[in-house]
Amino acid sequence: MERQKAIEIVGLTKTYKNQRGIRGMDLDVYQGDVFGLLGPNGAGKTTAMKVMTGMMAPDAGDVRIFGHSILTEYEKALANVGSIIETATSYPYLTAYENLKVVGRFYGMDDPKRIDEVLETCGILKYRNEKASNFSLGMKQRLGIAAAILPRPRLLVLDEPLNGLDVEGMVEMRNLVKRLAATESTTFFISSHLVHDVERTCDRIGVIFDGMLVRVDATEDLLRDHASLESFFMSEVDRHGKL
C-alpha cells in the first residue's frame, strides 16, 4: 500500500538580504516518519520550519500538509500540527498546569486529565503547580513539548527540541518521540545539529547545507554505507564546502 504524504515541499525558497535561507527545497515526508533535518547552524533549518508552520511567507514554492497548502488553506494545513520553533514559549507567571490550560482553551479542550497526562509524559508532573518563571531552560523545553502534544497532533514540527536538556532529558525526549510515533502514528519533523541524537531518533534524514537540501535517505541505508552518521555528515560537508 502506498504511503500517504504528511508533508510535501515543492520548490520552497526563502532568502534574506544576507543571502542566507533556503533555495529550491523539494521534500516528501510520509505519515509515521520520524524525519530529521540535519545541518550546521545557519544552514536554513529554522527558516524551513518557519515557512512550513506559517510564521513567514515563502518567496517561492509551497508546502502541503496532509494535502492542504499553507498558502491557500492555512487553517486546514495547520489544524493537526504542533510545533516548537526556536524556543519554547510560556507564560512565566502561570503555573505549568495553568499554561497548558490556556493552550487547551485555544484548541477547544478542557480536560484536566489530559493536561496531567502530558505533564507526566514530559517528566514535569511534580512541577504542575510551580510557575514557569522558576523553570530551568530544560524544564521550559519540556513544558513546550507538553503544550505541543496536548491536542494530539498528527504532525509535530520541532526545532532543536533537545536544546537545554541534560543527558537524562535527552534520552527521555528521544524515547517520547519514538513512543508517540509507534503508538499514535505521530509524524515528526525534527531539526538538529546534534548528529548522534538524530542518528538515534530519526528513521529518515535530510542533510541541508547552505540553504540546499543535498541528500535525503533512510538512516539505516546511510549507516550501511558509512561507519556512523557523523562520518556521513562530514563527508557531505567536504563535498559541499567546509563549515
Side-chain angles (χ1 to χ4, degrees):
M1 188 173 69
E2 185 178 356
R3 298 179 68 196
Q4 299 296 308
K5 294 176 183 178
I7 306 170
E8 185 177 7
I9 300 175
V10 181
L12 196 64
T13 298
K14 177 68 180 182
T15 55
Y16 305 102
K17 290 181 180 179
N18 62 7
Q19 300 306 308
R20 286 194 172 184
I22 53 174
R23 298 184 295 281
M25 178 182 285
D26 294 313
L27 176 65
D28 292 334
V29 176
Y30 297 92
Q31 293 185 29
D33 273 355
V34 179
F35 183 88
L37 187 62
L38 178 64
N41 291 329
K45 302 186 299 295
T46 298
T47 298
M49 291 180 144
K50 283 184 174 180
V51 175
M52 285 170 56
T53 54
M55 295 176 67
M56 60 172 58
D59 297 333
D62 195 6
V63 180
R64 300 182 70 85
I65 299 178
F66 300 115
H68 300 290
S69 166
I70 61 165
L71 298 179
T72 60
E73 303 174 282
Y74 176 80
E75 290 187 3
K76 289 182 178 179
L78 296 181
N80 292 290
V81 179
S83 66
I84 297 179
I85 309 296
E86 291 191 321
T87 56
T89 57
S90 57
Y91 297 101
Y93 298 108
L94 296 182
T95 66
Y97 180 88
E98 289 167 344
N99 265 279
L100 293 188
K101 195 166 184 178
V102 170
V103 173
R105 287 197 194 116
F106 178 79
Y107 289 102
M109 297 174 58
D110 186 14
D111 186 352
K113 289 183 179 179
R114 175 62 180 166
I115 293 176
D116 283 345
E117 179 183 314
V118 296
L119 286 171
E120 183 172 18
T121 295
C122 294
I124 53 173
L125 180 60
K126 62 184 176 181
Y127 304 110
R128 75 190 294 276
N129 295 320
E130 286 197 25
K131 290 182 178 179
S133 58
N134 297 328
F135 282 7
S136 66
L137 177 60
M139 288 172 64
K140 289 177 181 176
Q141 193 74 351
R142 289 170 186 257
L143 181 58
I145 297 287
I149 68 174
L150 181 66
R152 293 188 173 91
R154 295 169 63 196
L155 168 65
L156 274 169
V157 179
L158 304 177
D159 184 20
E160 302 280 2
L162 301 181
N163 275 359
L165 297 180
D166 56 20
V167 174
E168 181 183 6
M170 288 182 179
V171 172
E172 289 176 357
M173 202 55 62
R174 286 200 300 266
N175 291 339
L176 172 62
V177 169
K178 292 177 180 178
R179 185 164 69 249
L180 290 174
T183 62
E184 299 191 22
S185 298
T186 306
T187 304
F188 285 86
F189 190 103
I190 300 170
S191 80
S192 183
H193 65 280
L194 302 174
V195 180
H196 298 296
D197 288 297
V198 170
E199 180 176 330
R200 293 185 179 98
T201 308
C202 302
D203 48 46
R204 290 182 69 233
I205 294 169
V207 175
I208 187 170
F209 183 81
D210 195 24
M212 302 288 288
L213 194 61
V214 298
R215 177 84 179 266
V216 178
D217 219 330
T219 307
E220 61 180 0
D221 291 338
L222 293 175
L223 294 177
R224 191 176 297 125
D225 299 330
H226 299 269
S228 67
L229 188 58
E230 183 176 35
S231 66
F232 158 72
F233 180 63
M234 295 311 299
S235 71
E236 290 296 306
V237 169
D238 287 337
R239 283 178 56 202
H240 297 281
K242 296 293 183 182
L243 296 180

Short mmCIF file of all heavy atoms in Angstrom, two decimals, residues 186-210:
data_model
loop_
_atom_site.label_atom_id
_atom_site.label_comp_id
_atom_site.label_asym_id
_atom_site.label_seq_id
_atom_site.Cartn_x
_atom_site.Cartn_y
_atom_site.Cartn_z
N THR A 186 2.18 9.34 15.21
CA THR A 186 2.52 10.76 15.05
C THR A 186 3.71 10.89 14.11
O THR A 186 4.69 10.15 14.21
CB THR A 186 2.89 11.38 16.41
OG1 THR A 186 1.84 11.15 17.34
CG2 THR A 186 3.12 12.88 16.28
N THR A 187 3.61 11.82 13.17
CA THR A 187 4.71 12.12 12.27
C THR A 187 5.55 13.23 12.89
O THR A 187 5.01 14.19 13.44
CB THR A 187 4.18 12.58 10.89
OG1 THR A 187 3.31 11.56 10.37
CG2 THR A 187 5.31 12.82 9.91
N PHE A 188 6.87 13.11 12.79
CA PHE A 188 7.77 14.11 13.36
C PHE A 188 8.66 14.72 12.27
O PHE A 188 9.16 13.99 11.41
CB PHE A 188 8.68 13.50 14.43
CG PHE A 188 7.98 13.23 15.73
CD1 PHE A 188 7.30 12.04 15.93
CD2 PHE A 188 8.00 14.15 16.76
CE1 PHE A 188 6.65 11.77 17.12
CE2 PHE A 188 7.36 13.90 17.95
CZ PHE A 188 6.68 12.71 18.15
N PHE A 189 8.81 16.02 12.33
CA PHE A 189 9.80 16.73 11.52
C PHE A 189 10.68 17.48 12.49
O PHE A 189 10.25 18.44 13.12
CB PHE A 189 9.11 17.69 10.54
CG PHE A 189 10.02 18.28 9.50
CD1 PHE A 189 10.00 17.82 8.20
CD2 PHE A 189 10.89 19.32 9.82
CE1 PHE A 189 10.83 18.37 7.23
CE2 PHE A 189 11.73 19.88 8.87
CZ PHE A 189 11.69 19.40 7.56
N ILE A 190 11.91 17.00 12.66
CA ILE A 190 12.79 17.49 13.71
C ILE A 190 14.06 18.06 13.08
O ILE A 190 14.68 17.43 12.23
CB ILE A 190 13.19 16.34 14.66
CG1 ILE A 190 11.95 15.72 15.32
CG2 ILE A 190 14.18 16.82 15.71
CD1 ILE A 190 12.23 14.44 16.08
N SER A 191 14.43 19.26 13.50
CA SER A 191 15.71 19.82 13.06
C SER A 191 16.72 19.69 14.18
O SER A 191 16.37 19.74 15.36
CB SER A 191 15.57 21.29 12.67
OG SER A 191 15.58 22.11 13.82
N SER A 192 17.97 19.52 13.78
CA SER A 192 19.03 19.43 14.79
C SER A 192 20.39 19.57 14.13
O SER A 192 20.56 19.32 12.95
CB SER A 192 18.96 18.08 15.52
OG SER A 192 19.93 18.03 16.56
N HIS A 193 21.36 20.00 14.93
CA HIS A 193 22.75 19.94 14.50
C HIS A 193 23.49 18.88 15.33
O HIS A 193 24.70 18.71 15.19
CB HIS A 193 23.43 21.31 14.67
CG HIS A 193 23.53 21.77 16.10
ND1 HIS A 193 22.46 22.33 16.77
CD2 HIS A 193 24.55 21.73 16.98
CE1 HIS A 193 22.84 22.62 18.01
NE2 HIS A 193 24.09 22.26 18.17
N LEU A 194 22.75 18.16 16.17
CA LEU A 194 23.33 17.12 17.03
C LEU A 194 23.28 15.77 16.30
O LEU A 194 22.26 15.08 16.32
CB LEU A 194 22.58 17.05 18.36
CG LEU A 194 22.54 18.35 19.17
CD1 LEU A 194 21.65 18.20 20.38
CD2 LEU A 194 23.96 18.77 19.58
N VAL A 195 24.37 15.43 15.65
CA VAL A 195 24.39 14.28 14.76
C VAL A 195 24.01 12.98 15.48
O VAL A 195 23.21 12.20 14.97
CB VAL A 195 25.78 14.14 14.10
CG1 VAL A 195 25.82 12.94 13.15
CG2 VAL A 195 26.15 15.41 13.35
N HIS A 196 24.58 12.76 16.64
CA HIS A 196 24.35 11.50 17.33
C HIS A 196 22.88 11.33 17.74
O HIS A 196 22.34 10.23 17.67
CB HIS A 196 25.25 11.40 18.57
CG HIS A 196 26.71 11.42 18.25
ND1 HIS A 196 27.31 10.42 17.51
CD2 HIS A 196 27.68 12.32 18.53
CE1 HIS A 196 28.60 10.69 17.36
NE2 HIS A 196 28.84 11.84 17.97
N ASP A 197 22.24 12.42 18.15
CA ASP A 197 20.84 12.32 18.55
C ASP A 197 19.93 12.09 17.36
O ASP A 197 18.94 11.36 17.47
CB ASP A 197 20.43 13.58 19.32
CG ASP A 197 21.07 13.62 20.70
OD1 ASP A 197 20.77 12.72 21.50
OD2 ASP A 197 21.88 14.52 20.96
N VAL A 198 20.23 12.69 16.22
CA VAL A 198 19.47 12.42 15.01
C VAL A 198 19.60 10.95 14.63
O VAL A 198 18.62 10.29 14.27
CB VAL A 198 19.95 13.34 13.86
CG1 VAL A 198 19.33 12.90 12.53
CG2 VAL A 198 19.58 14.78 14.14
N GLU A 199 20.81 10.42 14.73
CA GLU A 199 21.05 9.02 14.39
C GLU A 199 20.22 8.09 15.28
O GLU A 199 19.68 7.09 14.80
CB GLU A 199 22.53 8.70 14.55
CG GLU A 199 22.91 7.26 14.20
CD GLU A 199 24.41 7.02 14.29
OE1 GLU A 199 25.18 7.97 14.04
OE2 GLU A 199 24.79 5.88 14.59
N ARG A 200 20.09 8.43 16.55
CA ARG A 200 19.37 7.57 17.48
C ARG A 200 17.85 7.74 17.40
O ARG A 200 17.11 6.88 17.85
CB ARG A 200 19.82 7.86 18.91
CG ARG A 200 21.26 7.47 19.22
CD ARG A 200 21.57 7.68 20.68
NE ARG A 200 22.92 7.29 21.03
CZ ARG A 200 23.94 8.13 21.13
NH1 ARG A 200 23.74 9.42 20.90
NH2 ARG A 200 25.14 7.72 21.46
N THR A 201 17.39 8.86 16.87
CA THR A 201 15.97 9.20 16.93
C THR A 201 15.23 9.02 15.61
O THR A 201 14.08 8.55 15.59
CB THR A 201 15.79 10.67 17.40
OG1 THR A 201 16.52 10.88 18.60
CG2 THR A 201 14.32 11.00 17.62
N CYS A 202 15.86 9.40 14.50
CA CYS A 202 15.15 9.55 13.23
C CYS A 202 15.32 8.35 12.31
O CYS A 202 16.42 7.79 12.21
CB CYS A 202 15.63 10.82 12.52
SG CYS A 202 15.40 12.30 13.51
N ASP A 203 14.24 7.98 11.62
CA ASP A 203 14.34 6.87 10.68
C ASP A 203 14.63 7.33 9.26
O ASP A 203 15.05 6.54 8.42
CB ASP A 203 13.08 5.98 10.72
CG ASP A 203 11.80 6.77 10.65
OD1 ASP A 203 11.70 7.68 9.82
OD2 ASP A 203 10.88 6.47 11.44
N ARG A 204 14.40 8.62 8.98
CA ARG A 204 14.81 9.21 7.70
C ARG A 204 15.49 10.54 8.00
O ARG A 204 15.13 11.23 8.95
CB ARG A 204 13.62 9.43 6.76
CG ARG A 204 13.02 8.16 6.21
CD ARG A 204 11.87 8.45 5.24
NE ARG A 204 12.33 9.05 4.00
CZ ARG A 204 11.83 10.18 3.48
NH1 ARG A 204 10.87 10.84 4.10
NH2 ARG A 204 12.30 10.66 2.34
N ILE A 205 16.47 10.88 7.16
CA ILE A 205 17.29 12.06 7.41
C ILE A 205 17.48 12.84 6.12
O ILE A 205 17.71 12.27 5.05
CB ILE A 205 18.67 11.64 7.97
CG1 ILE A 205 18.51 11.02 9.37
CG2 ILE A 205 19.62 12.84 8.05
CD1 ILE A 205 19.76 10.35 9.87
N GLY A 206 17.38 14.16 6.24
CA GLY A 206 17.76 15.06 5.16
C GLY A 206 18.90 15.93 5.62
O GLY A 206 18.89 16.41 6.76
N VAL A 207 19.88 16.13 4.78
CA VAL A 207 21.02 16.98 5.12
C VAL A 207 20.88 18.29 4.36
O VAL A 207 20.74 18.30 3.13
CB VAL A 207 22.36 16.31 4.77
CG1 VAL A 207 23.52 17.27 5.02
CG2 VAL A 207 22.55 15.05 5.59
N ILE A 208 20.90 19.40 5.09
CA ILE A 208 20.80 20.73 4.49
C ILE A 208 22.11 21.45 4.70
O ILE A 208 22.69 21.42 5.79
CB ILE A 208 19.60 21.52 5.06
CG1 ILE A 208 19.40 22.82 4.31
CG2 ILE A 208 19.75 21.75 6.55
CD1 ILE A 208 18.09 23.54 4.67
N PHE A 209 22.59 22.07 3.63
CA PHE A 209 23.87 22.77 3.70
C PHE A 209 23.76 24.03 2.87
O PHE A 209 23.42 23.98 1.68
CB PHE A 209 25.00 21.87 3.16
CG PHE A 209 26.37 22.49 3.27
CD1 PHE A 209 27.06 22.45 4.47
CD2 PHE A 209 26.94 23.12 2.19
CE1 PHE A 209 28.30 23.03 4.59
CE2 PHE A 209 28.19 23.71 2.30
CZ PHE A 209 28.88 23.66 3.50
N ASP A 210 24.01 25.18 3.50
CA ASP A 210 23.97 26.46 2.80
C ASP A 210 22.66 26.66 2.04
O ASP A 210 22.63 27.11 0.90
CB ASP A 210 25.16 26.56 1.84
CG ASP A 210 25.38 28.00 1.34
OD1 ASP A 210 24.96 28.94 2.05
OD2 ASP A 210 25.95 28.17 0.25
#
